[in-house]
Amino acid sequence: MALLLRLVLLWGVADFTRSLSITTPDQMIEKAKGETAYLPCKFTLSPEDQGPLDIEWLLSPADNQKVDQVIILYSGDKIYDDYYQDLKGRVHFTSNDLKSGDASINVTNLQLSDIGTYQCKVKKAPGVGNKKIQLKVLVKPSGTRCYVDGSEEIGSDFKLKCEPKEGSLPLQYQWQKLSNSQKLPASLLAEMASSVISVKNATTEYSGTYSCTVTNRVGSDQCLLRLDVVPPSNRAGTIAGAVVGTLLALVLIGFIVFCCRKKRREEKYEKEVHHDIREDVPPPKSRTSTARSYIGSHHSSLGSMSPSNMEGYSKPQYNQVPSEDFERPPQSPTLPPAKFKHAYKTDGITVV
């Protein structure tokens, strides 16, 4: 009895498994960043599958830091594609009639964050099926730069380098000399498949145009390099010229600074003189002081006369003395002060 029950259960499971089948095998897909990835998921139904059709795509991120995320869903004859913010607007069903057996999707404008395992689940009761697809997003080589590391002189050692700005590993390199005028030195043949070519004791036969091609599984990029091996330059003259040029530049800068500072000092001095009030100029004399000074000087001149000059004359009697309000006539700044004559009488004779 138990054996019969077990057989019935096994037959039911086998029939259940056969009722809905996803024909697309598990697989891994590699695409370049920015491209569109087609993720297939085709299925077949059996007459026993009578329930509503539900299709669900899930993403298991590669970093394993997040739980499975529903990225697009078909249920109740409606499509829901805004479950996962990182893929919003970039994931679509490829078929307009999902009931025809095609649940494949396209993921557009691929980003590195899209790397992971995608799972397609199809359910139509009582049948259920699912398949997994691993997606890898690679970066094409781009921004490749070729350059010489060292001095391109005869007898010197230098390196030819080929460096892409970005590109997913593994990367393959291939150097080629494009100039046919000279053959490639045998010493370089062993390094033509590496990112760096080392040149020892360079000669003119190394001169020419080189190309470097960088390749990975999703694309390639190329750069060109012109190499000219020349005789050694006069390094002493070059250094001396650089030193002299530097000194001249410093002298010129010093002269400019000196002129600027001198001009500022002159402007400052002019402003100070313009606004300065001279404290050493005495105040103008009053009229009273001027008159007294004049009288005093006149008396002094009379006192200096000799007795012989005064012979026949008695002591003068002044009829009047200049008052305190005596005023000097106006005079030009460039002319000497005007002389005043005083008249007086003695013995009935008027003396001027």
Side-chain angles (χ1 to χ4, degrees), residues 11-249:
W11 177 83
V13 171
D15 184 68
F16 173 76
T17 306
R18 289 194 303 270
S19 62
L20 188 151
S21 175
I22 296 181
T23 59
T24 302
D26 293 342
Q27 57 186 293
M28 183 183 71
I29 298 175
E30 288 184 348
K31 285 290 182 179
K33 179 183 176 182
E35 294 183 346
T36 296
Y38 169 70
L39 307 182
C41 181
K42 295 184 178 182
F43 60 93
T44 59
L45 300 174
S46 67
E48 290 80 9
D49 300 325
Q50 298 296 324
L53 178 63
D54 292 331
I55 301 174
E56 184 180 56
W57 277 89
L58 297 94
L59 169 61
S60 300
D63 56 9
N64 296 322
Q65 299 295 323
K66 300 178 182 179
V67 298
D68 293 353
Q69 300 286 335
V70 177
I71 60 175
I72 193 169
L73 174 67
Y74 173 81
S75 179
D77 295 332
K78 292 184 179 181
I79 297 176
Y80 305 91
D81 57 0
D82 56 353
Y83 280 93
Y84 190 48
Q85 189 65 30
D86 291 351
L87 284 173
K88 186 176 181 180
R90 296 195 294 120
V91 57
H92 313 280
F93 285 109
T94 59
S95 176
N96 294 326
D97 184 11
L98 299 179
K99 295 180 180 180
S100 63
D102 189 359
S104 304
I105 61 172
N106 280 332
V107 180
T108 62
N109 190 21
L110 288 172
Q111 303 297 318
L112 296 179
S113 59
D114 299 337
I115 298 174
T117 301
Y118 293 76
Q119 184 176 188
C120 174
K121 287 186 176 181
V122 180
K123 177 181 179 183
K124 188 172 177 63
V128 177
N130 68 83
K131 288 293 180 180
K132 293 182 179 180
I133 299 176
Q134 187 177 359
L135 175 64
K136 288 186 177 181
V137 180
L138 304 178
V139 180
K140 294 180 181 180
S142 64
T144 305
R145 184 170 70 101
C146 296
Y147 64 97
V148 179
D149 184 7
S151 175
E152 304 175 40
E153 296 181 352
I154 296 177
S156 62
D157 299 340
F158 55 82
K159 296 180 179 180
L160 308 182
K161 293 188 175 182
C162 179
E163 297 179 352
K165 185 177 181 180
E166 60 179 3
S168 298
L169 300 176
L171 295 172
Q172 296 178 349
Y173 298 86
Q174 185 60 48
W175 286 89
Q176 183 180 0
K177 188 177 182 183
L178 304 180
S179 175
N180 296 324
S181 60
Q182 294 177 335
K183 294 183 179 180
L184 188 67
S187 59
L188 299 184
L189 293 176
E191 298 182 345
M192 297 302 286
S194 64
S195 61
V196 179
I197 296 179
S198 298
V199 177
K200 303 291 184 181
N201 192 21
T203 61
T204 56
E205 66 177 350
Y206 289 93
S207 299
T209 302
Y210 294 79
S211 71
C212 175
T213 304
V214 187
T215 308
N216 64 7
R217 292 196 295 267
V218 293
S220 63
D221 194 28
Q222 187 182 68
C223 62
L224 298 177
L225 171 65
R226 176 64 189 179
L227 177 63
D228 293 312
V229 181
V230 297
S233 59
N234 187 359
R235 297 182 179 179
T238 302
I239 295 174
V243 172
V244 172
T246 303
L247 292 177
L248 290 176

Side-chain angles (χ1 to χ4, degrees), residues 147-351:
Y147 64 97
V148 179
D149 184 7
S151 175
E152 304 175 40
E153 296 181 352
I154 296 177
S156 62
D157 299 340
F158 55 82
K159 296 180 179 180
L160 308 182
K161 293 188 175 182
C162 179
E163 297 179 352
K165 185 177 181 180
E166 60 179 3
S168 298
L169 300 176
L171 295 172
Q172 296 178 349
Y173 298 86
Q174 185 60 48
W175 286 89
Q176 183 180 0
K177 188 177 182 183
L178 304 180
S179 175
N180 296 324
S181 60
Q182 294 177 335
K183 294 183 179 180
L184 188 67
S187 59
L188 299 184
L189 293 176
E191 298 182 345
M192 297 302 286
S194 64
S195 61
V196 179
I197 296 179
S198 298
V199 177
K200 303 291 184 181
N201 192 21
T203 61
T204 56
E205 66 177 350
Y206 289 93
S207 299
T209 302
Y210 294 79
S211 71
C212 175
T213 304
V214 187
T215 308
N216 64 7
R217 292 196 295 267
V218 293
S220 63
D221 194 28
Q222 187 182 68
C223 62
L224 298 177
L225 171 65
R226 176 64 189 179
L227 177 63
D228 293 312
V229 181
V230 297
S233 59
N234 187 359
R235 297 182 179 179
T238 302
I239 295 174
V243 172
V244 172
T246 303
L247 292 177
L248 290 176
L250 292 176
V251 171
L252 179 60
I253 293 173
F255 178 74
I256 294 174
V257 172
F258 172 77
C259 292
C260 293
R261 295 186 63 180
K262 181 179 179 182
K263 185 176 180 181
R264 290 180 181 177
R265 287 197 300 266
E266 291 176 352
E267 292 177 352
K268 183 178 179 182
Y269 176 76
E270 291 178 357
K271 291 181 180 180
E272 290 179 351
V273 170
H274 182 71
H275 295 287
D276 188 23
I277 298 177
R278 299 291 301 274
E279 296 181 356
D280 57 344
V281 177
K285 296 181 179 180
S286 64
R287 296 177 178 179
T288 304
S289 299
T290 304
R292 290 177 178 176
S293 175
Y294 174 78
I295 295 172
S297 62
H298 184 71
H299 281 254
S300 175
S301 63
L302 293 176
S304 63
M305 297 178 64
S306 62
S308 61
N309 294 333
M310 296 299 295
E311 186 177 354
Y313 295 94
S314 61
K315 187 175 181 180
Q317 300 292 328
Y318 293 96
N319 294 331
Q320 64 180 26
V321 179
S323 65
E324 295 295 331
D325 295 333
F326 175 78
E327 295 184 1
R328 297 178 64 183
Q331 52 183 318
S332 172
T334 59
L335 298 177
K339 296 182 179 180
F340 294 91
K341 296 180 179 181
H342 297 270
Y344 57 93
K345 291 180 179 181
T346 175
D347 296 333
I349 299 174
T350 302
V351 179

